[in-house]
Structures are given as C-alpha cells and as structure tokens.
Amino acid sequence: MNTLLLNTNGVQIPQLGFGVWRVPDDEAATAVSAALKAGYRSIDTATLYQNEAGVGRALAGSAVPREKLFITTKLWNSDHDRVEAAFEGSLKLLGLDYLDLYLIHWPVPEQDRYVEAWRGLERLFKDGRVRAIGVSNFTVGNLERLMEETQIVPSINQIELHPNFPQAEVRAFHEANGILTEAWSPLGQGKGLLEEPALGTLAAKHGRTPAQIVLRWHIQLGNVVIPKSVTPSRIRENIDVFEFTLDPEDMAAIGALNTDTRLGPDPATFNRVG
Ligand code: NAD
C-alpha cells in the first residue's frame, strides 16, 4: 500500500483507506473486518456517523497490530468548545488509547469557533494523544485564518472531491502549503458518475471497472482516498488500484468530467450543529 508523508513528525498515511459514513453501528464491525481482511489499514469514521463502537469492535477482533493501523475520527460541529471531552468519548468508543488522525469535521462559519477548536486539537497533538491533526471541509479562507492565528498547519484537509468536482484551486493551495488533500465521496457516492461513458471506455481499455478507474485517477493526482462499500467484492475491488497506470490522455478524459457540481453541502453555508 502506498503511503503519503504528513507534515508532522514523519507520520505516514495509507493513500487509500476505508470510509464508513452511513454504515449503521451494527454493520460497521462486519464491513471494517472485511476491509481489514482485504488489506485496508486506514479507517475513516466520525462522531456524526454513530458507528465508532462498531469500528472499535472490528479493530479489537482483528489480528492486525495497532501500530499497523491508521484510525481517523472527527470532532462534531457541536463540540468545538469541548474538544478534549469529545476526543476522549471517541477514543473510548473506538477502544483505543491514541488516535492517528483527528479532524475538525466542518468549519461552521456561523458559530465561528473553529479557531478555538483547532487550539484544542493542537493541545491533544502536543500531549501525544493523536499522531496528526487536520481539518475537513475547510475553505482556503478558513485555512488561511488558521495559519495566521494558530501554531500548527493542518496535516490534511478532507474535502468533497471526485471527477465532477475536482477542486483544483483548493488542491493547489494545499500543495503550496504542505497540506495533503483527502477526497470524500471519491466515487461520487456511486451515483451517476460511474455510468459515464468516458469511464466505461477507460475501464474497457485497462480491463478494470469504472470505480477502479476513478480511484486510480485520485491516486495519480496525489489524493488520499477513502471509498466506502459494504459489499465484500467491491471492498476488494476498490483497493486493487495499484497495479495499473492511467496515461496522460486518460487523466485528461477524466478531467473533462468536471461539472463543478457538489453532492454534499457547501462549507461556506453549512451551519448544522445538531
Ligand atoms: P463514495 O464516493 O465512497 O461512494 C460510496 C458508494 O459507492 C457506495 O455506497 C456504493 O453505493 C458505491 N460503490 C462503492 N464501491 C463501488 C464499486 N466498486 N462499484 C460500484 N459502486 C460502488 O461515497 P461516501 O461514502 O460518501 O464517501 C466515502 C467516505 O468519505 C465516507 O464513507 C466517509 O468516511 C467520508 N465522508 C466524509 C465527509 C466529510 O464531511 N468529511 C462527507 C462524506 C463522506
């Protein structure tokens, strides 16, 4: 598995991990166990997903040593002023004594507490409770403000990113500032994207599936990617993307699918705290 270097202490993140959004707690253990068996070592959950306990059961039941795993969870929007308690709650549900990566889930501009929340994450990092800290759904403006007002530059920004919404401007800002880009909904949530004829053509050319073509595009762009599936055959399919290469013209054909369309909320206006 390819790994990418984070900007803190030489910590490496697997470039491809397993996402568990919308996987109910009682199914999360089965899905994560299947992912670990298929070779995934990085798992992405969040307090919001209400499945940290299920993820924790899979980790506890696995023979994979803790130091080979990379576990990410996220601070929910209502917890920006109680970072330490929220973090401890997540660790307890996951059954872990440290975390690999902790993210602020959304900036929540109306609430305007993300700088305070970031200082909380900085404390956890300095105390050695988490190996790396980052953000999710932060705009360039949000990142610039953090960099002006706080000490540590986020390791990673997890954002919506897929061929219909490639986020070139945010990626360029990340690259210029040593921040890794992590793509959420990398497969466009498996909706219309995977039926695009251009992807079908590339799938036939490389003897792969449209999902594998899209994941390979992410890998070659340098994104960290966290596809989700609860179907064991797809879980295996989605990690099997390291043994073929897209040509520059293939990358351009996928680039042409840009419609500048989001599937999820716009961080500039998303203010949900409940
Ligand atoms: P995704 O793009 O990974 O798509 C998942 C869906 O695609 C599956 O439910 C399935 O229907 C389909 N699919 C998966 N593999 C397939 C295959 N091989 N062939 C055909 N169809 C396939 O969408 P996602 O779950 O929204 O995003 C991935 C992860 O990103 C989440 O699980 C979560 O961990 C994270 N995420 C984070 C945020 C955030 O705000 N930070 C928001 C959304 C998602």
Side-chain angles (χ1 to χ4, degrees), residues 162-166 188 192-193 196 217 254 257-262:
H162 42 76
N164 296 146
F165 196 62
L193 174 66
E196 283 283 353
W217 171 81
I254 301 169
L257 298 175
N258 178 13
T259 53
D260 205 21
T261 336
R262 290 180 190 277

Side-chain angles (χ1 to χ4, degrees), residues 125-268:
F125 175 73
K126 284 177 186 158
D127 290 347
R129 309 300 317 281
V130 53
R131 296 172 70 223
I133 51 176
V135 294
S136 176
N137 300 302
F138 272 42
T139 63
V140 167
N142 300 146
L143 290 168
E144 283 173 335
R145 182 163 167 215
L146 276 196
M147 288 160 70
E148 270 163 34
E149 297 183 25
T150 67
Q151 291 177 351
I152 300 176
V153 177
S155 291
I156 209 162
N157 187 15
Q158 185 185 114
I159 53 175
E160 178 176 349
L161 202 172
H162 42 76
N164 296 146
F165 196 62
Q167 298 255 37
E169 190 192 321
V170 186
R171 277 194 289 119
F173 181 85
H174 291 165
E175 202 171 329
N177 289 282
I179 300 168
L180 288 183
T181 300
E182 183 168 29
W184 64 253
S185 296
L187 298 171
Q189 299 179 0
K191 291 175 184 161
L193 174 66
L194 298 181
E195 270 105 61
E196 283 283 353
L199 295 177
T201 305
L202 292 174
K205 173 179 170 184
H206 290 278
R208 296 284 171 163
T209 66
Q212 289 175 319
I213 297 293
V214 171
L215 292 170
R216 184 68 207 175
W217 171 81
H218 283 284
I219 297 294
Q220 289 184 213
L221 282 183
N223 299 336
V224 177
V225 75
I226 43 170
K228 178 217 126 180
S229 175
V230 291
T231 310
S233 59
R234 286 177 170 177
I235 291 174
R236 289 192 296 273
E237 175 186 325
N238 292 347
I239 197 177
D240 183 16
V241 294
F242 292 95
E243 276 159 26
F244 71 105
T245 304
L246 297 170
D247 308 325
E249 60 268 27
D250 302 337
M251 293 295 284
I254 301 169
L257 298 175
N258 178 13
T259 53
D260 205 21
T261 336
R262 290 180 190 277
L263 294 165
D266 182 343

